[in-house]
Every structure is written in structure tokens, then in C-alpha cells.
Amino acid sequence: MAKRDYYEVLGVKKGASADEMKRAYRKLAMKFHPDRNADNKDAEAKFKELNEAYDILKDDQKRAAYDRFGHGAFEGGGEPGHGRSGFSSAGASGFTDVFDEIFGEFMGGSAGRSRASRRSASTRGSDLRYDLRISLEEAFKGLEKEISLPTSVKCDTCSGSGAAKGSKPKTCSTCAGMGQVRMQQGFFTVEQACPDCDGSGQMISNPCDKCHGAGRKNKHRTIKVKIPAGVDDGMRIRLSGEGQAGLRGGPNGDLYIFVSIKSHTLFAREESNIYCKMPLPMTKAALGGAIEVPTIDGTKVKITIPEGTQTGHQFRLSGKGMPVLRSKNRGDMYVEVALEVPVKLSKKQKDLLREFDKHSKHSHPESEGFFDKVKKMFGT
């Protein structure tokens, strides 16, 4: 059966631009993809035909040859498929490249990475996590703390190569040093880590007797961690290269310090501001006066209480809050009044309060205003 014109397969004109062809390919590839058309031989055939057409037309040189000689330009040993229907190893390779190019962005970009970068990623050491719990005072001042954690470090006997002294790793013959091999699984060609070298691209015939060829060994490490002043609950600090050592000389992973802050008995924090609820005796609120309150920096500040201060009133102490991270500024402190009603009164105290109550008309404007509204509401 004669092959269809490649431009006709893609549904574009002969003078179509690269972007137009790419959009057309993407649309039709999604339509005829085998995953969306299970047991549909026609769709599978169209998908193969579509891939073959785009593989030729996306390449300027191949496209020029096709425009001049048609399908004959790729027969008798040319590309794709070497004159046979379906995919040869070269045709499958072309499909992988095309599919990576078109759909790699939907896979988080991983499909479009070079084999070299994928091989590098396969030997990188793992990232580590350490949960550090500190007090609010420590978060205010900042601190330097030593932490101990189990990890892996580069083998000092072989300097991380994994090979014994006097020998060197050799290029893996199975993957030719690429670290990846291609496996045919039905219609698809799948890339996976080389089973002989575990994706490193190298073979070690004489492994180091200390690390057994891994290039790293397990060890407890003590690391100094600097926590900056003003750090907040839930923040993450990254220490580059302080994670596990890479396999056979690969780069180290990173260490992530997750900070949590203990609750405080007096203070609550919101970003760089500090909040404190201060109980105030009824008499002090009524008569006014001065009172000292503690602050997060360990000092005390005197607050002047005006006569008739009500519960819920807030006093703002400028610059008495938490440090702003990586700045010389500080937040504010807010002291909220909570009136305290006296309890366990003596007979004399009760008598004094009753006497006060007799003479307290117009001393409680908010209460009087509330009950005046109640009277108006019910028409009394």
C-alpha cells in the first residue's frame, strides 16, 4: 500500500511553519495515542504514520530531501524504518525524541533532559531532613547549634571513586557509558537505568575494600547549624552539599533544617509582632496608674494606664516585637488589657463595693448606653 503524503498525514500545507506542524502533531497525537484507543488497530496505525511524518518534517534537512524526492528519499536504507512498516531501532529512537520534544513539558521537564544530566542525577546523594525545635527566645536571638545525624560520607580510601588503589572505573560496555538502555515493550520504547552499572555509566572490576565499590560509607556526622534571629515557625533552612554523599563520586545531596517553635507561656507571635494578654485589677483600670510588663528581649517596660481603661484595650510598644528576618528592624508588641474581677472577697470588701454601687450612677457609660437601647427596643 502506497504511503500517504506526510503533509497530508499532519493535515498541514506544504509551506507550513515548524510551529504549525508542531501544533498539528500534538493535536493528532493526543487523538490517536494508543493509551486513549485501546485495542484500536486503526488508531495505532495512524499514530505510527503520524510519528513517522513528523519525524521527517520537523528536521530541515530531511524535509528538504522529502520535498525534492518524496518517500523515495528514505527507501533502501534511509530513514525512517529502512523501507519496512513499523519501527526499527532507529524509528523507535525517533519516536522517543519526538515524544520527548512535544510532551516532555507535561512530565515536569524530565523527558527533555539530556542523558548526561539524568546519569548525573542518578548518582547524586539523597537529601536529608532534620527537625529542630527551639524556644521563642532562641528564635528572637538566633543561635548556633550542633546537630548529630546519621549519613553517608565520601570514602577517604578511594576518594569516592569506588575503585581500589591503583585501578580505575571502566566505561560500561552495555550502555557505552550513557547509564541508560532502551527496552522495547510492544509498541513503545522505554529508557531505563542500565542494569549492569546501575545508571552510573561505569563498571568497577576491582572495588575498594572499604566501601565495596560504593564510593561512600555510613557515618554519624556533627554539623554546626546557624539559625538566624527572627526565624519563624515552619521555616526551612537549606544547607547545600550537607546531605548524603553521592554514589561513586557523585555530588552530595542537601540537608534541610525544618524549624518549629515551642509555644510560650506569656507571648503569642504573629509574623514579627508579639502579643501579650495582661490581667489588670479592676481598681487599677478605674483609677489609672503605671504597671511594668515583660518583653521578649528580657527587659521590662512601664505602661501608663489611663483612668477608666476598659477590657480589650491594646497598648502598642513600638519596636518591642521579634526581629525581622535578615533586617535590623523589629516588629511591635501589643499588650491587651483583660480586666480581672476580684474573688474571695471579705465582708468589709463586699460592704465597700455595695457602698460604691450606691454612688456609681453614670460611672458605667457603656452599660447605661446598652440598657437604654434595650428600653427603646421594647418601648419601655
Side-chain angles (χ1 to χ4, degrees):
M1 182 178 176
K3 290 186 177 181
R4 284 203 301 158
D5 180 81
Y6 285 153
Y7 291 103
E8 180 186 341
V9 172
L10 288 176
V12 297
K13 295 181 180 179
K14 192 172 182 179
S17 66
D19 286 341
E20 288 174 331
M21 289 192 296
K22 187 174 182 178
R23 286 195 296 269
Y25 175 83
R26 176 181 292 178
K27 182 179 179 180
L28 293 171
M30 296 292 279
K31 179 179 179 181
F32 295 113
H33 195 285
D35 287 349
R36 293 188 171 188
N37 301 273
D39 301 324
N40 187 337
K41 296 298 182 182
D42 289 340
E44 182 177 331
K46 288 180 180 178
F47 192 66
K48 290 179 182 180
E49 183 184 45
L50 181 66
N51 173 69
E52 181 178 311
Y54 185 71
D55 188 40
I56 294 297
L57 298 182
K58 76 183 181 71
D59 185 288
D60 291 339
Q61 291 183 349
K62 292 179 184 179
R63 183 178 180 180
Y66 177 75
D67 288 346
R68 186 174 181 183
F69 301 108
H71 295 297
F74 308 103
E75 292 176 355
E79 294 182 66
H82 304 288
R84 297 172 298 182
S85 61
F87 292 101
S88 66
S89 58
S93 172
F95 166 73
T96 302
D97 294 339
V98 170
F99 200 78
D100 285 355
E101 177 187 338
I102 298 296
F103 299 104
E105 64 213 63
F106 298 112
M107 308 298 182
S110 61
R113 292 186 298 169
S114 67
R115 294 185 185 90
S117 66
R118 279 179 287 192
R119 183 169 69 253
S120 174
S122 69
T123 60
R124 180 181 182 273
S126 299
D127 293 335
L128 297 177
R129 169 176 176 153
Y130 187 90
D131 294 325
L132 181 62
R133 190 168 172 80
I134 62 176
S135 67
L136 188 61
E137 286 85 356
E138 288 174 323
F140 172 80
K141 297 176 182 177
L143 74 153
E144 192 172 273
K145 189 176 181 67
E146 285 191 347
I147 62 173
S148 178
L149 67 160
T151 183
S152 60
V153 297
K154 183 171 71 173
C155 176
D156 48 13
T157 303
C158 65
S159 299
S161 70
K165 286 186 176 180
S167 65
K168 293 182 179 179
K170 296 180 180 179
T171 300
C172 174
S173 59
T174 302
C175 64
M178 299 306 295
Q180 302 281 326
V181 293
R182 292 186 174 187
M183 306 293 291
Q184 190 76 32
Q185 296 183 359
F187 171 68
F188 291 101
T189 297
V190 180
E191 276 194 357
Q192 61 184 31
C194 176
D196 290 339
C197 66
D198 294 325
S200 67
Q202 296 180 326
M203 297 288 289
I204 297 177
S205 56
N206 187 15
C208 170
D209 59 355
K210 295 296 182 182
C211 65
H212 308 290
R216 61 187 181 186
K217 56 186 180 180
N218 294 328
K219 183 180 179 180
H220 256 81
R221 289 181 62 204
T222 299
I223 301 173
K224 281 188 177 181
V225 179
K226 190 172 183 180
I227 307 299
V231 67
D232 206 347
D233 187 70
M235 280 189 173
R236 184 183 70 173
I237 298 172
R238 174 175 171 263
L239 301 180
S240 180
E242 294 292 351
Q244 289 196 351
L247 182 66
R248 296 176 186 171
N252 289 2
D254 299 329
L255 172 62
Y256 290 90
I257 308 295
F258 284 77
V259 179
S260 62
I261 300 177
K262 304 171 189 175
S263 58
H264 199 278
T265 54
L266 291 179
F267 305 123
R269 177 184 181 179
E270 187 175 315
E271 296 181 348
S272 61
N273 294 326
I274 291 288
Y275 293 85
C276 176
K277 187 168 285 190
M278 177 184 66
L280 190 66
M282 182 183 69
T283 51
K284 180 74 73 173
L287 299 175
I291 192 169
E292 285 188 333
V293 295
T295 62
I296 188 62
D297 59 15
T299 61
K300 292 182 179 180
V301 175
K302 185 177 288 186
I303 295 178
T304 300
I305 308 295
E307 291 184 9
T309 296
Q310 301 296 312
T311 190
H313 179 83
Q314 280 190 340
F315 295 93
R316 176 173 171 262
L317 305 179
S318 180
K320 286 297 181 179
M322 294 290 290
V324 177
L325 196 62
R326 300 182 184 89
S327 169
K328 294 182 180 180
N329 298 327
R330 283 179 63 179
D332 300 327
M333 178 175 174
Y334 292 88
V335 181
E336 182 180 330
V337 171
L339 288 187
E340 186 178 18
V341 177
V343 295
K344 297 180 180 179
L345 299 176
S346 66
K347 184 178 182 301
K348 184 176 180 180
Q349 288 173 321
K350 290 179 181 179
D351 290 340
L352 288 172
L353 283 176
R354 290 189 185 101
E355 184 67 20
F356 169 78
D357 190 45
K358 290 179 182 179
H359 302 281
S360 63
K361 190 175 182 181
H362 307 307
S363 296
H364 302 89
E366 288 191 20
S367 297
E368 291 174 5
F370 174 78
F371 288 111
D372 285 342
K373 291 176 184 177
V374 172
K375 291 176 182 179
K376 289 180 181 179
M377 180 176 175
F378 290 98
T380 58

